[in-house]
Amino acid sequence: MLGYQKVLAHLRRNKREHLKLLQRLVAQPSISAQNEGVRECAELLVNIMEGLGIPAQTYETEGHPVVYGEIGEGDFTVLFYGHYDVQPPEPLEAWDSPPFKPTVRKGRLYGRGTGDNKGQLLSHLLAVHSYLQVLGEIPIKIKFVFEGEEESGSPYLADFVSEHKELLQADLAYTSDGPLHESGAPAVYYGVRGMLGLEISLETASWDNHSGNKGGVIPNAAWELVKILSSMKDENGRVRVAGFYEQVREPSTKDLELIENLEYHPWQIAKNFGVKKIEMEKEDFYRRLTLEPTMSINGLTSGYQGKGTKTIIPARASAKLDCRLVADQDPEMVFAAIKHHVEKMNPDAEVVMQGYMHPSRTDPALPVSEKILKAAQTASGKKPVALPAMGGSLPDYVWTKILGVPSIIVPYANADEANHAPNENLDLECFYQGIEISARAMYELSKK
Ligand SMILES: [Zn+2]
């Protein structure tokens, strides 16, 4: 404990240095979607890690390189995962300061990648650095995997993990990405929902026809598509595709206990979501958001939407959809079920898959879970909000399914970090708190 207190004191004395390092990392663009500066950023990150006393190197993949580092000895091994690539900064004119000129305003650092994810991955590195500075060693063994294309859907992370299973073997995977709970309390997630993207399109004629001269005798692509879509969900939001729920895992007692312990203010949530009201009980709300799959229409296209009227029968219609999947749904099986359903409704409709990510879950009853909760609570002074899974998606399955390791997600950024948007920012208090959570987690995990 004394050692840890010294580490903490060191962290608090060196905030200015920590901020400087973050600014250096953010100033290097690393836009994976546009292949801009990614390799340079990987090299800079290796450089920064070695400067902090952490041996590191890049590993080539078919896409952008992975930065890997390893340090420490001990019975327990943690693998920290993060990503050094960022989203495109456009529209540039919407930024109050240039995205790659990190600028402090009112206690926040503004710049692309400050919260997502450079500030968060740096937190782990700075925690390690303080242990090295103060004690000369780390109480556990630590591995770092920093990916360069998370913002492009992590296309080669699974391959990298499959090819380096021995190198990456660990007792726990730990990811800090995304925001704290809206209340300001830390959030702890034991999994993520998966994702399946698809497009349904339909052509009922070779061209748009006159709705009077041909109206009533030929099919209308817009109506046909609407029929297909409305057959896919009932009025309670249940998906009506046969087999869709077949592989959904029953929630464990512990999963439901986590939900039971959460606070629930539906009016506040409705306000945060920009909707009039949320009309469901707490358990139903959180089960639907974390433990059940869903299907969303992301966009619809057909016919004429311009000024005035255009009396046509549209020849073509299409819709993009995504499904958020939960353990143990297999995206390919879900896709096959949807394709079957759509083709049964209308054999002319075409269904095309647009990529997927597997869901992932870790048992919240594992002993490491208590240690992480304790670290988050002690470092923040607030009781963490623990959920069985995130509503969103991360490539968490590479740890739980490919590597076979439990995985916990502990985000460090402020709830209004504006990630993926202009004026992305990281509240500096969240940055420093994140470093303390990482340092405390290392201490808790080293205890028997
Ligand atoms: Zn992101």
Side-chain angles (χ1 to χ4, degrees), residues 83 85-87 116-117 150-151 177 394 419-420 424:
H83 64 92
D85 67 320
V86 301
Q87 283 276 320
D116 185 11
N117 180 247
E150 193 269 349
E151 300 293 9
D177 199 358
L394 279 174
N419 44 341
H420 297 206
E424 178 178 351

Side-chain angles (χ1 to χ4, degrees), residues 216-241:
V217 294
I218 64 167
N220 178 316
W223 274 124
E224 296 306 317
L225 181 65
V226 168
K227 268 191 242 166
I228 296 172
L229 294 173
S230 61
S231 74
M232 293 169 78
K233 244 190 182 185
D234 71 14
E235 58 276 23
N236 298 317
R238 285 287 289 184
V239 175
R240 292 179 58 205
V241 171

Side-chain angles (χ1 to χ4, degrees), residues 21 24 27 32 51 78 108 110 126 128-129 158 180 192 194 248 262 292 300 312 322 338 356 379 381 401 407:
L21 205 55
R24 207 176 132 206
S32 54
V78 183
R108 293 175 183 226
Y110 286 82
L126 291 169
V128 166
H129 177 65
L180 302 166
V192 298
V248 172
L262 294 169
E292 287 173 14
L300 286 173
I312 53 160
D322 83 330
I338 294 172
Y356 63 75
K401 286 191 180 156
S407 174

